[in-house]
Structure formats: structure tokens, C-alpha cells
Amino acid sequence: DVAAWTPPPRSSLHRIYVLADQAASSLSNVVVTILVANGSGRNTFGAFSLAMVAYILIAGGVRSVAGEPLLSLYADRGPRARRRIVAEIHGTALFLSLLGSVALVVASVIGQGESGAALLALAFVLPFVIVQDTWRYLFIIDRPGYALLIDVVWLVGVVLALPLVEMGAPVGYYVLAWGLSGAVGAGVGVFLGWGWPGWPHPWRWLMKHREVCSRYFTEFVVAQGVSQLSFAALAVIAGAAALGAARAAWVIFGPLAVIHAGLYLLLVPEGARLKGDAAAMRRKFVLASAASMALSTTWLAVVLVIPSRVGEVLFSDTWTKAESLLLPMGIAVVAGGALSGGVLGLRALADARNSLRARLWSTPVLVIAPVAGAVLGDATGFVLGMAVANAASAVVWWTMFELASGRPTGEGVEAT
């Protein structure tokens, strides 16, 4: 199928669909958070938030072994090759989501109360929303309009279903309304897709691509661990107020995370189709980093002129400290943009070995620099430490990408 199929050129409409899909996917999380926050009590909203954190972690783990290998390994294959793996990749997604559901049931028994009820409801709907997300990754390569459609279906379902939940209803109703709306999106995905050609095998995909899957999953665990560990250390060193201020400043730059996620979905498949043309691939990802840095700088300029009263409405007393962190946080985000091209490049090469090495080699500085900054300078030092860590990590990721892109195609990359 590889030899017989020539990838069609990417149109502007294709790119718009990809970025719009990421926006719709992220918007659904924002909308559901607002609707639940306004329609429930504080304890219910806290329990719902716990369920969302659990979903994000489980979905991220499944993406690392299903969605990300799919984009890296099959974006340069023809539709027939991808059709053959639909059952395998959905089988893996369903298998892992069912394991996640079992873990959530156990956690719900331990947690009890509203938190336990939220986790139990999530356990019921988790396979549906994971299948929806898997269809999204399958569509994004060459049918991003379908990916956008199933995300819009989920978003519309959330907007219609959540207001029907009565004020003061148990938290499980909110989780079920959110999850079953995702199930509708999954059903539309099955209808629009290739159906189920073959029985979904639970681990055939994992066995065929075990090296890539295991390394991408390890990367995911390390990245999550580093992020949570560094913020936890800030709370221990400088107190909860410093942590709240750093989180608030981070949220202000949240729209950039949405755009970066969209660029990932757009550029990894495009880069994968440039395997064998090292010069063109380097140009693409150098431009990706430059664009990311320019966008981050522009957003920083916008953020710095936001009136203080807007921040006070959003974050109350936390804004007083958070406002002083906007400039250093912006610098950290710009530095993060510098490393993005190297990350995307290694993903496009499907070089899981060097990608994991880059992640592990950059981990010490990602932990030490922010923590040292917190010791020396409270929340401001912590955020400046993040900037230093991101800049150092950019050197590591780009060095690995240069080494990988200079090798003959396929060397150091899992054969598929």
C-alpha cells in the first residue's frame, strides 16, 4: 500500500479542520466545567473535577500507545493500510479503557462519598469516550472534517444534556450526561468510519508495536510525573498560595496549549510523509518552532495588557500574586515553543528510542531548575526555573532530532 499510494497535498481547508477539531475538543472540556460549576454545589463540582482529572490521565495513557503510534507510523500509509488496523487499534483502546474502568470501580469503593460516585459513573462511560477519541485520531490523518464532526456532536450533546440535570443532582448524573454525549459521538464515528472490519483484538496492536508503544507510554508517565512533582514541590517550599498563583498564571496561557495540541495533530502526519527528505523535514519543524515562539510572544504581549480587574474577577485574591508571574510564565512558554519542533520531529520520524532518551535526559533539569528557583525566589523563581528548564530541554530535543533525521530512513525506527 505504501508503494502504490501517493499522499495528496495538504489543503488549507484540511489544516483548518485539524485546528478547529482541537479547538472543539478542548472547548467541550471548558463548557462542561462551566456548566457543572454553575449547576452544582462546591462539593459536587470538586468530585466532578476529580473524575475529569482521572479521565484526562487515562485518555492520555491510551493515546500514548494508540493515537500517537498511529500518527507516527501510519500517516504515510494509504487508506487501505489504515483500514486494516481499525479493529486492532479499537481493540486496544477498548481493552485499556475496560482496565481503566475496573481501576475506577476499585477507586470508587475506596473513595466513597461524592468522589466515589463520580469515579463509578466515569467507569461506566469510559469505554465510550475512549472509542470516540480513538476515532478522532483515525480520522485526523486524512478526514479531519469527520474528526471535527464527532467532536462537535459531543460538544452539542454536552450543551443539551447537562442543563437537563436538576440543580443539586448527584454528581454521577453530571458524569453520565457528559460521557453518554461522548458515546453519541463515538456512534457517529462508527457510522462515518470503516465499521469494524475484523474482530477487535485486545492486544495485537500492542504486540506488533510494543517498542514504540512502551516508549511513548513511558514518556507520558515521566512527563506527567515531572509536572506534578515540580508543582507539588512548589507547594511544599513556598506554600499553597504560591502554587495557586503559579497555576492561575499557567491557566492564562492555556489557549496556547490548545493550539500546540492542534499543531501536533497537524504536523506529525505531515512530517511523517517527509521521511526520507531530511532537509524538508528540518525546515518544517524549524518553522513550527519559530511559529510557536512567535505565537507565544504575541499572546504574552496581549496578556500583559489585560486589566487587573479582569484577572480579579477570574481568580479573586489569587490574581494579586499571579499577575506578577505573567512575564516569567510567558518567557517559560516561549522557551517551550522552542523545543516543540524537536518533539514533533521525533514523533514524525517514529523514533521512539531517541524520543524517550530526550525525555529522560531532559527530566533532571525539568525538576531541579524549578525547584531550585522556588528555593531561591518563591513562585517567581519557580517559573523562571521552568523557563531555564524548557530552554535546556530544547537543546536536548533538537540534538536528538538532528541525529535521528540525519540517519537513513528506518534506522533506529521501528519497522512496520
Side-chain angles (χ1 to χ4, degrees):
D1 195 31
V2 176
W5 182 73
T6 301
R10 296 298 201 193
S11 66
S12 298
L13 183 60
H14 176 101
R15 295 183 173 93
I16 291 171
Y17 276 144
V18 173
L19 296 177
D21 169 67
Q22 181 58 45
S25 177
S26 300
L27 183 60
S28 65
N29 293 332
V30 174
V31 169
V32 72
T33 299
I34 293 172
L35 289 175
V36 176
N38 284 278
S40 65
R42 181 179 299 177
N43 291 338
T44 298
F45 179 64
F48 183 86
S49 299
L50 174 63
M52 291 301 98
V53 169
Y55 161 71
I56 290 170
L57 289 175
I58 295 171
V62 175
R63 288 169 185 167
S64 71
V65 298
E68 292 190 27
L70 168 69
L71 297 185
S72 297
L73 297 171
Y74 286 88
D76 59 341
R77 300 293 186 96
R80 284 183 297 169
R82 286 194 294 278
R83 188 178 189 278
R84 287 195 294 267
I85 63 170
V86 168
E88 292 180 6
I89 201 166
H90 274 295
T92 291
L94 280 170
F95 173 64
L96 295 177
S97 64
L98 289 172
L99 289 181
S101 292
V102 171
L104 288 169
V105 170
V106 174
S108 72
V109 173
I110 296 173
Q112 300 182 341
E114 290 203 326
S115 295
L119 294 177
L120 183 61
L122 177 61
F124 176 75
V125 298
L126 183 66
F128 300 112
V129 295
I130 293 297
V131 166
Q132 190 273 353
D133 194 63
T134 305
W135 274 115
R136 177 173 171 250
Y137 270 78
L138 281 162
F139 288 144
I140 209 72
I141 295 175
D142 53 11
R143 292 185 287 176
Y146 285 0
L148 174 59
L149 177 59
I150 63 174
D151 273 332
V152 169
V153 167
W154 190 356
L155 175 59
V156 171
V158 165
V159 171
L160 295 177
L162 283 180
L164 297 178
V165 180
E166 294 182 3
M167 182 71 175
V171 66
Y173 284 93
Y174 290 98
V175 178
L176 290 174
W178 165 82
L180 293 176
S181 298
V184 177
V188 174
V190 173
F191 176 77
L192 295 174
W194 295 299
W196 299 92
W199 185 255
H201 193 283
W203 54 75
R204 183 176 295 151
W205 171 268
L206 297 176
M207 293 298 99
K208 285 174 62 176
H209 307 296
R210 57 185 175 275
E211 289 190 14
V212 169
C213 291
S214 62
R215 286 168 176 157
Y216 282 175
F217 181 73
T218 302
E219 268 197 65
F220 169 76
V221 172
V222 170
Q224 288 294 322
V226 167
S227 175
Q228 300 307 318
L229 177 63
S230 60
F231 276 104
L234 173 61
V236 172
I237 294 168
L243 174 61
R247 286 288 193 186
W250 180 255
V251 168
I252 291 295
F253 289 89
L256 293 175
V258 175
I259 295 173
H260 289 159
L263 290 176
Y264 178 93
L265 294 174
L266 175 65
L267 294 179
V268 169
E270 289 192 4
R273 298 180 181 198
L274 294 175
K275 290 173 185 174
D277 190 344
M281 184 174 281
R282 288 190 187 99
R283 283 196 301 271
K284 177 173 285 291
F285 292 114
V286 167
L287 288 173
S289 269
S292 180
M293 294 174 70
L295 187 62
S296 299
T297 303
T298 302
W299 186 252
L300 172 60
V302 171
V303 164
L304 291 177
V305 298
I306 291 177
S308 295
R309 61 180 179 276
V310 175
E312 290 168 359
V313 169
L314 293 173
F315 298 103
S316 189
D317 295 340
T318 302
W319 182 251
T320 302
K321 179 63 176 176
E323 190 172 19
S324 67
L325 300 180
L326 294 180
L327 179 58
M329 184 64 78
I331 295 172
V333 171
V334 172
L339 69 85
S340 61
V343 176
L344 297 175
L346 284 173
R347 282 292 193 272
L349 287 169
D351 194 338
R353 183 180 295 112
N354 276 314
S355 184
L356 179 57
R357 285 175 179 169
R359 182 73 65 186
L360 295 176
W361 289 1
S362 61
T363 292
V365 70
L366 287 170
V367 174
I368 293 171
V371 171
V375 172
L376 297 174
D378 197 62
T380 301
F382 175 83
V383 176
L384 288 174
M386 289 175 57
V388 171
N390 285 343
S393 297
V395 175
V396 174
W397 281 96
W398 275 103
T399 299
M400 285 297 182
F401 173 59
E402 286 294 326
L403 290 172
S405 62
R407 288 197 305 264
T409 302
E411 186 179 334
V413 181
E414 178 176 325
T416 56

